[in-house]
């Protein structure tokens, strides 16, 4: 308000109503015409409209982002100091920066998380601040402040943009910055880390950034040296995943720089070394780095701008000569998901075209199997060319597989074989078409057809009832994702619904398994009025039917339509539930389904009457499943089992599924493979057995006279290539120096006999089997996209295709035999991989194990997911399985009294 050098721009609002802002700082004439400046800057940085003479004099743009994790306090305070210095500074340095560039300061990327954490810091503060990092004033309590209102890690949401705070991605895309600073904190015992990162390097990230990163880093180091501050670069920081703040903008050309300051939680800490670190020092580190980076940009402005535009020019030219030339997404199966994807692309500045009419297109390569197809694409399908400014972003978001370098893969294997843990920091697969479960194809040329860059999505249905309102009943197609939310809303209004087990045809329309039926005589007289209003709100068309007589499939009055029961959902929360994983379920129920639920703290579970609920969701744990079992105690475990027996639906996810599957839990008969190795020993692939002894820690066993010799024993034990599936082959790099190893799985006993000749006669001892299996588990999928085989006969998968992409990050494998239903199973090793890093050892051990199981237990059921089906709001394909389990499980998967249908008879039902 006081200075013509700055303007506060509002770009969104958090869930708790706090404004999301960015402060634009520059010369008064720029600030007075920000819209004009942005338009001119966009034209100058577009190779198609750039003018070399004007570019040499143009201002650069820097986006400085602070505080995306609410419990990392120093960066936001540094942002305020930086803003004041830039705006009020009359000296040469501040003046020069305003003259040379426009600085956009995003001071607090996560205001809700910051306020939650500040409240805890204040609540637990001592009169004299504690220096002990183990004190409650430093550690705080669950769920801390890292995430936003729904506990999402916003530094993983840059391209998925699930949360409102992440609308900043759209703002950054509009401003086309040359520099993107991303300021964080880390553990109190460390010092200060900043870019450049270490390998693995994402191949779609601009190659010219490496040289600039070293130049910016050198200047930053000198500025820190002048103050005597310690620091380091690389070491643990890898940015292969594109969803970080310092990564995402790079795919639009900006140089991303990460800061990580040792944490002080607003006061001070004494480290184990005896050194003391104050909050003021933490702020000074962040401020010193910010000023150094801005000065480097100013010093090299013309060269940076030139490289920025030249990079864009070269990448567009290269994209026109390489494959894929474009990605094509068919709108037929999931139109709402495709339209959501289109909105996401537009927000991030990615150009695409829409098909204006249904068209046959030949020569399209399926991203799942790598085969060419001729496809009848539906109107509204998307064409996303790669020869555009955001082309690298297209590749990194669409390609099913992003390869890693051979040097890193060899190092990763060495770390795993020697028990040092993975070098990877994040998921290795995130392809949007795979995560959304869409039919996506790529092409070596731009396919012909009526593609329009201005065509909008076909209009969404207005919703409501079509057809007779006074006939037999009403039908809702179960294919749209919104149908489950509508079903839940109708049950809350007291209506009685049924869900079909089979496909059928009636009134000239086809309905898949999982479609919904409301019989008029089972519902109140005003059923049509309630149904019409709800259907309009959910934008779904409900078809009235005058008859129960189907032209194909079961008649509507028969026994193939299960009576549903209103879900009364509880979700376990609090320590030791993983906050972000609970937040994903919370957000799904609140924001996507609008479904009321009760959050039950783990510490109060023993005092809660579980009979009030018919669904209990156990999100993943932060601790081991055995530790969690110890926290609950046998009495509570017995109560949980009795609740399931009485008709409850227990849903375990990831590590909580491991807790349920462990033999000692006494819950169900799905088992962890590691606990039943005598019955289900894993096969082995990857490293040849003759090399196993050399790959791990050195042994001093003395010569036995039976050591293996020859070419195999002389080979590099770490030079084994990861598995690449048929759809990912076209996107895999040439891994020079790496070899396939064992591609056909070998029985574990046979592998051990070759690895340790003469150590046993017939059967390996138990200890040897367990050690060998522990080695295989170290190669577990760390966020890979895998192929799942679906049992469409199950009500959990009603209406789904026979296969689906699964995002899997898990150290456990689930095995099950009848009467357990394996609803989704991982595919065979040679077909398992769709994207991400998958070692042959993991493919062999996890192939044909369970992803989703359902077991009847008394009148109730237990449903287990190997990995998170609702991962950060990204995995729309598997989200549907979780939604089905929660909304339809109480009716379709349990045995219950009909009195529980519809509004029900209990006081709780009516209150809810």
């Amino acid at each position: 308000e006081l200075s013509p050098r700055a303007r506060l721009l509002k770009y969104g609002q958090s869930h708790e109503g706090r404004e999301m802002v960015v402060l634009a700082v520059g010369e008064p004439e720029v600030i007075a015409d920000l819209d004009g400046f942005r338009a001119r800057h966009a034209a100058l940085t577009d190779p198609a409209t750039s003018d070399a003479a004007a570019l040499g004099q143009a201002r650069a743009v820097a986006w400085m982002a602070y505080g995306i994790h609410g419990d990392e306090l120093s960066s936001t305070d540094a942002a305020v100091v930086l803003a004041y210095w830039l705006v009020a500074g009359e000296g040469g340095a501040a003046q020069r920066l305003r003259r040379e560039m426009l600085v956009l300061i995003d001071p607090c990327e996560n205001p809700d998380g910051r306020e939650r954490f500040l409240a805890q810091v204040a609540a637990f503060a001592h009169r004299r601040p504690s220096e002990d990092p183990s004190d409650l004033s430093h550690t705080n309590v669950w769920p801390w402040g890292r995430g936003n209102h729904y506990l999402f890690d916003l530094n993983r949401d840059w391209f998925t943009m699930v949360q409102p705070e992440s609308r900043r991605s759209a703002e950054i895309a509009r401003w086309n910055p040359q520099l993107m600073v991303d300021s964080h904190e880390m553990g109190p015992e460390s010092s200060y880390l900043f870019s450049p990162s270490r390998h693995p390097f994402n191949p779609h990230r601009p190659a010219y950034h490496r040289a600039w990163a070293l130049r910016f880093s050198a200047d930053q180091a000198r500025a820190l040296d002048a103050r005597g501050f310690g620091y380091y670069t690389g070491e643990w920081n890898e940015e292969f995943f594109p969803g970080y703040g310092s990564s995402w903008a790079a795919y639009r050309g900006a140089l991303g720089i990460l800061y990580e300051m040792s944490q002080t939680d607003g006061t001070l800490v004494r480290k184990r070394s005896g050194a003391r670190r104050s909050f003021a020092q933490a702020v000074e580190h962040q401020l010193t780095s910010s000023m150094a980076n801005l000065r480097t940009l100013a010093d090299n402005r013309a060269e940076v701008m030139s490289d920025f535009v030249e990079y864009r020019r070269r990448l567009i030219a290269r994209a026109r000569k390489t494959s894929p030339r474009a990605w094509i997404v068919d709108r037929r199966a999931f139109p709402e998901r495709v339209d959501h994807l289109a909105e996401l692309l537009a927000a991030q500045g990615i150009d695409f075209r829409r098909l204006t009419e249904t068209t046959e297109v030949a020569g399209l390569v399926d991203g799942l199997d790598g085969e060419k197809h001729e496809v009848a694409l539906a109107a509204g399908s998307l064409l996303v060319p790669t020869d555009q400014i955001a082309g690298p972003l297209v590749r990194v978001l669409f390609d099913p597989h992003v390869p890693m370098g051979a040097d890193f893969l060899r190092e990763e294997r060495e770390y795993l074989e020697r028990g040092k843990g993975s070098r990877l920091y994040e998921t290795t697969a995130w392809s949007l078409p795979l995560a959304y479960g869409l039919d996506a194809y790529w092409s070596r040329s731009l396919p012909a057809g009526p593609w329009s860059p201005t065509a909008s999505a076909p209009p969404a249905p207005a919703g409501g009832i079509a057809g007779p309102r006074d006939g037999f009943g009403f039908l809702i197609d179960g294919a749209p994702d919104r149908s489950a939310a509508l079903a839940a809303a109708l049950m809350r209004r007291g209506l009685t619904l049924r869900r079909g087990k089979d496909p059928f045809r009636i009134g000239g329309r086809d309905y898949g398994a999982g479609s919904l039926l409301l019989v008029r005589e089972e519902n109140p007289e005003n059923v049509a009025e309630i149904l019409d209003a709800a259907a309009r709100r959910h934008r779904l068309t409900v078809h009235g039917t005058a008859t129960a007589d189907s032209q194909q499939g079961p008649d509507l009055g028969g026994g193939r339509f299960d009576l549903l029961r209103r879900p009364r959902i509880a979700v376990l929360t609090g320590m030791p539930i993983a906050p972000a994983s609970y937040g994903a379920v919370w957000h799904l129920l609140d924001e996507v389904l609008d479904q009321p639920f009760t959050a039950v703290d783990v510490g109060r579970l023993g005092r809660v009457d579980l009979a009030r609920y018919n669904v209990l969701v156990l999100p993943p744990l932060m601790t081991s499943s055995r530790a969690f079992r110890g926290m609950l105690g046998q009495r509570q475990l017995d109560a949980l089992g009795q609740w399931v027996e009485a008709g409850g639906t227990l849903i375990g996810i990831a590590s909580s599924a491991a807790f349920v599957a462990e033999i000692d839990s006494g819950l169900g008969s799905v088992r962890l493979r590691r606990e039943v190795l005598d019955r289900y020993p894993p096969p082995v692939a990857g490293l040849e057995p003759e090399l196993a002894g050399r790959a791990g820690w050195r042994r001093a066993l003395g010569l036995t006279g039976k050591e293996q010799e020859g070419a195999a024993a002389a080979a590099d034990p770490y030079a084994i290539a990861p598995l690449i599936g048929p759809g990912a082959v076209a996107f895999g790099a040439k891994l020079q120096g790496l070899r396939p190893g064992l591609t056909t799985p070998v029985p574990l006993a046979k592998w051990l006999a070759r690895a340790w000749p003469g150590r046993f006669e017939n059967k390996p001892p138990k200890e040897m089997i367990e050690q060998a299996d522990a080695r295989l588990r170290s190669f577990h999928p760390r966020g890979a996209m895998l192929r799942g085989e679906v049992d469409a006969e199950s009500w959990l998968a009603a209406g789904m295709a026979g296969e689906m992409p699964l995002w899997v990050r898990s150290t456990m494998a689930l095995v099950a035999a009848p009467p357990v239903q394996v609803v989704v199973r991982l595919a065979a090793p040679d077909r398992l991989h769709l994207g991400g890093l998958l070692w042959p050892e993991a493919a062999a051990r996890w192939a044909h194990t369970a992803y989703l199981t359902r077991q009847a237990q008394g009148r109730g059921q237990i449903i287990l997911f190997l990995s998170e089906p609702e991962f950060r709001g990204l995995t729309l394909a598997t989200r549907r399985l979780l939604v089905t389990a929660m909304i339809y499980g109480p009716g379709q998967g349990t045995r219950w009294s009909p009195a529980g249908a519809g509004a029900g008879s209990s006081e709780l039902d009516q209150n809810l």
Side-chain angles (χ1 to χ4, degrees):
E1 292 176 353
L2 296 179
S3 175
R5 300 169 181 167
R7 185 190 303 175
L8 197 65
L9 309 174
K10 301 171 184 176
Y11 65 83
Q13 183 172 285
S14 73
H15 282 291
E16 295 177 11
R18 296 182 176 90
E19 288 183 337
M20 306 302 301
V21 298
V22 61
L23 185 74
V25 183
E27 290 289 70
E29 64 269 22
V30 174
I31 298 302
D33 184 27
L34 277 178
D35 290 340
F37 172 83
R38 186 177 63 243
R40 291 189 296 274
H41 182 74
L44 277 173
T45 55
D46 186 336
T49 54
S50 184
D51 176 83
L55 187 65
Q57 302 300 316
R59 289 178 169 88
V61 173
W63 186 286
M64 313 292 285
Y66 302 88
I68 201 166
H69 295 139
D71 55 2
E72 299 173 2
L73 300 179
S74 66
S75 65
T76 290
D77 289 61
V80 177
V81 183
L82 176 67
Y84 177 75
W85 178 76
L86 278 174
V87 175
E90 297 294 347
Q95 250 179 347
R96 181 183 174 219
L97 293 182
R98 292 195 301 266
R99 184 175 64 249
E100 299 281 355
M101 68 185 75
L102 176 71
V103 182
L104 298 161
I105 301 175
D106 192 349
C108 188
E109 301 167 277
N110 181 6
D112 292 354
R114 180 178 171 89
E115 288 300 318
R116 183 190 319 119
F117 190 72
L118 285 173
Q120 293 188 18
V121 168
F124 303 135
H126 299 273
R127 184 179 64 84
R128 186 189 301 275
S130 172
E131 298 181 347
D132 187 349
S134 297
D135 186 78
L136 185 59
S137 63
H138 290 289
T139 58
N140 283 283
V141 296
W142 195 99
W144 306 284
R146 182 179 179 88
N148 72 340
H149 173 80
Y150 283 111
L151 309 183
F152 269 60
D153 186 334
L154 296 176
N155 201 39
R156 306 296 188 274
D157 194 39
W158 284 82
F159 67 82
T160 42
M161 297 174 66
V162 174
Q163 299 298 305
E165 296 92 339
S166 300
R167 295 301 301 176
R168 71 174 52 85
S169 295
E171 284 300 300
I172 295 172
R174 292 172 66 227
W175 283 101
N176 286 296
Q178 284 64 62
L179 174 66
M180 168 75 196
V181 163
D182 184 25
S183 180
H184 291 258
E185 288 184 345
M186 56 183 170
E189 289 296 335
S190 193
S191 60
Y192 188 59
L193 173 140
F194 53 92
S195 298
S197 60
R198 62 160 173 83
H199 66 175
F201 301 112
N202 194 305
H204 301 298
R205 195 160 180 170
Y208 82 94
H209 277 182
R210 189 69 183 170
W212 278 115
L214 292 172
R215 194 180 305 187
F216 273 76
S217 174
D219 290 346
Q220 186 173 344
R222 279 190 287 271
L224 293 167
D225 286 341
R227 288 162 173 77
F229 293 152
Y231 54 83
Y232 61 100
T233 64
E235 196 164 308
W236 57 263
N237 173 45
E238 56 92 356
E239 297 190 1
F240 185 77
F241 175 62
Y244 306 126
S246 54
S247 303
W248 174 87
Y251 301 99
R252 290 189 53 88
L255 174 64
I257 296 179
L258 172 73
Y259 306 161
E260 291 276 359
M261 179 62 207
S262 58
Q263 201 161 17
T264 62
D265 305 303
T267 55
L268 76 167
V269 297
R270 183 180 294 275
K271 303 183 181 186
R272 286 195 294 267
S273 66
R276 297 170 82 237
R277 173 78 70 220
S278 70
F279 182 64
Q281 289 173 322
V283 172
E284 189 178 0
H285 277 73
Q286 310 278 32
L287 178 63
T288 300
S289 295
S290 299
M291 294 168 65
N293 290 160
L294 289 174
R295 285 174 174 141
T296 304
L297 181 58
D299 291 343
N300 300 277
R301 175 189 52 77
E303 192 179 353
V304 169
M305 293 289 286
S306 176
D307 281 0
F308 186 84
V309 174
E310 183 58 28
Y311 158 73
R312 289 180 160 192
R313 181 178 290 113
R314 287 197 307 268
L315 77 85
I316 291 173
R318 185 171 61 249
R320 289 172 179 164
K321 300 175 183 178
T322 57
S323 292
R325 184 72 170 77
W327 275 97
I328 298 92
V329 184
D330 190 6
R331 191 175 180 271
R332 188 179 311 278
F334 297 104
E336 67 273 24
R337 295 184 196 173
V338 174
D339 294 344
H340 173 69
L341 175 62
E343 293 173 2
L344 204 59
L345 300 180
Q348 297 177 66
I350 297 175
D351 296 330
F352 61 89
R353 306 166 196 172
R354 279 194 184 269
L355 198 61
T356 57
E357 59 186 62
T358 299
T359 305
E360 292 271 352
V361 179
L364 300 184
V365 183
D366 193 328
L368 291 174
D369 59 23
E371 299 293 329
K372 280 190 177 181
H373 299 270
E374 182 173 350
V375 184
L377 297 172
S381 296
L382 306 181
L383 170 67
V384 190
T386 58
D387 62 331
Q388 58 172 296
I389 286 174
L393 195 54
V394 173
R395 292 294 306 275
V396 82
L397 298 187
F398 275 75
D399 287 7
H401 179 71
V402 178
M404 296 175 177
D407 289 346
F408 171 77
L409 291 170
R410 188 193 177 284
E411 181 181 288
E412 175 74 355
R413 279 197 70 92
E414 182 179 358
Y415 266 64
L416 296 178
E417 289 281 18
R418 304 198 72 173
K420 296 188 289 184
S422 175
R423 295 281 275 161
L424 289 167
Y425 192 66
E426 249 297 330
T427 180
T428 62
W430 52 81
S431 166
L432 292 177
L434 288 179
Y436 287 9
L438 302 177
D439 294 326
Y441 310 87
W442 58 271
S443 175
R444 292 183 172 86
S445 60
L446 291 180
W451 301 98
S452 170
T454 59
S456 57
I465 296 176
R469 300 187 174 209
D470 55 357
F472 173 76
F474 305 92
L475 292 166
I476 303 170
D477 185 359
D481 292 333
R482 295 190 301 273
S483 61
L486 175 58
L490 295 175
M491 285 188 276
R492 288 198 301 274
R493 292 297 306 274
L495 301 190
T496 298
L497 282 75
R498 295 175 177 269
R499 189 168 185 252
K501 297 180 178 180
D502 313 288
F504 61 95
R505 181 177 179 81
I506 194 169
R509 293 183 178 84
D510 292 315
Y511 295 86
S515 292
L516 302 168
L517 166 66
L518 290 88
V519 178
R520 210 160 59 83
E521 68 178 8
E522 294 177 345
N523 282 285
E525 291 185 3
N526 64 339
V527 59
E529 177 185 342
I530 297 172
L531 181 55
D532 186 68
R536 290 182 185 278
R537 188 166 60 254
H538 289 269
R539 305 190 315 280
L540 287 171
T541 301
V542 176
H543 293 280
T545 175
T547 177
D549 185 15
S550 296
Q551 287 118 35
Q552 292 179 13
D555 291 332
L556 305 188
R560 301 299 294 172
F561 291 84
D562 288 333
L563 195 61
L564 297 181
R565 188 184 188 192
R566 179 183 173 184
R568 302 193 304 273
I569 301 172
V571 181
L572 213 56
T573 187
M575 194 67 183
I577 301 296
S581 298
Y582 165 73
V585 178
W586 178 16
H587 178 265
L588 172 62
L589 288 165
D590 259 19
E591 297 290 328
V592 179
L593 298 175
D594 190 25
Q595 169 64 38
F597 76 98
T598 300
V600 177
D601 188 86
V602 172
R604 296 194 67 255
L605 185 60
R607 300 192 294 276
V608 171
D609 180 9
L610 288 179
R612 294 165 59 89
Y613 316 105
N614 53 26
V615 177
L616 178 60
V617 181
L618 309 182
L621 305 167
M622 296 178 63
T623 186
S624 72
S625 51
R626 293 185 179 181
F628 181 54
R629 186 171 64 249
M631 289 177 62
L632 293 182
Q634 192 59 48
R635 181 178 178 182
Q636 188 55 48
L637 274 174
D638 292 343
L640 200 57
Q642 292 164 7
W643 173 81
V644 173
E645 294 272 350
T649 294
L650 180 65
I651 301 174
I653 301 172
S655 50
S656 281
F659 151 72
V660 175
E662 284 176 340
I663 293 173
D664 291 343
S665 75
L667 298 168
S669 55
V670 177
R671 290 290 173 257
L672 302 178
R673 185 169 210 164
R674 67 172 181 259
E675 290 194 326
V676 288
L677 293 173
D678 56 332
R679 284 181 286 163
Y680 304 104
V684 188
L687 183 64
E688 297 91 339
E690 292 82 2
L691 297 177
R694 290 177 50 209
W697 293 107
R698 284 184 178 173
R699 292 165 170 79
L701 303 177
L703 293 176
T704 65
K706 297 183 179 182
E707 280 67 25
Q708 298 294 304
E709 298 179 357
D716 184 348
Y718 309 120
I720 304 297
L723 197 70
I724 303 292
V729 167
F731 303 92
K734 293 182 180 179
L735 301 176
Q736 295 181 352
L738 302 187
R739 52 198 169 78
L742 290 172
T743 54
T744 302
V746 175
L748 180 61
K750 184 177 179 180
W751 189 90
L752 285 170
R754 287 172 55 190
W756 307 107
R759 300 296 170 85
F760 59 89
E761 293 184 4
N762 298 316
K763 183 179 179 181
K766 179 182 177 183
E767 295 78 8
M768 184 177 284
I769 292 175
E770 290 176 344
Q771 289 177 9
D773 185 63
R775 172 187 169 270
L776 296 178
R777 289 202 309 275
S778 71
F779 290 93
H780 68 267
R782 286 176 170 80
M785 284 289 184
L786 308 180
R787 190 187 307 269
E789 300 170 341
V790 180
D791 180 6
E793 293 294 316
S794 169
W795 60 268
L796 277 164
M800 292 187 175
E803 293 185 343
M804 68 185 306
L806 310 170
W807 181 85
V808 176
R809 181 173 62 194
S810 181
T811 60
M812 66 175 183
L814 298 176
V815 293
V820 176
Q821 295 177 315
V822 178
V823 182
V824 182
R825 184 181 73 170
L826 298 177
D830 60 337
R831 300 185 67 251
L832 184 59
H833 179 263
L834 294 176
L837 178 59
L838 182 67
W839 293 112
E841 288 85 351
R845 189 181 188 276
W846 269 263
H848 288 165
T849 60
Y851 173 83
L852 171 59
T853 65
R854 178 206 167 265
Q855 178 179 4
Q857 187 103 338
R859 298 170 68 89
Q861 62 185 335
I862 297 174
I863 297 171
L864 301 181
F865 288 90
L866 171 71
S867 197
E868 293 180 74
E870 173 67 351
F871 177 63
R872 300 175 180 167
L874 167 66
T875 51
L876 303 189
T878 49
R879 165 193 283 179
R880 183 163 183 137
L881 295 167
L882 177 60
V883 169
T884 299
M886 293 189 297
I887 301 301
Y888 300 129
Q892 288 202 281
T894 64
R895 291 183 291 118
W896 49 278
S897 166
S905 56
S906 73
E907 181 181 352
L908 177 68
D909 278 320
Q910 296 174 24
N911 289 341
L912 286 176

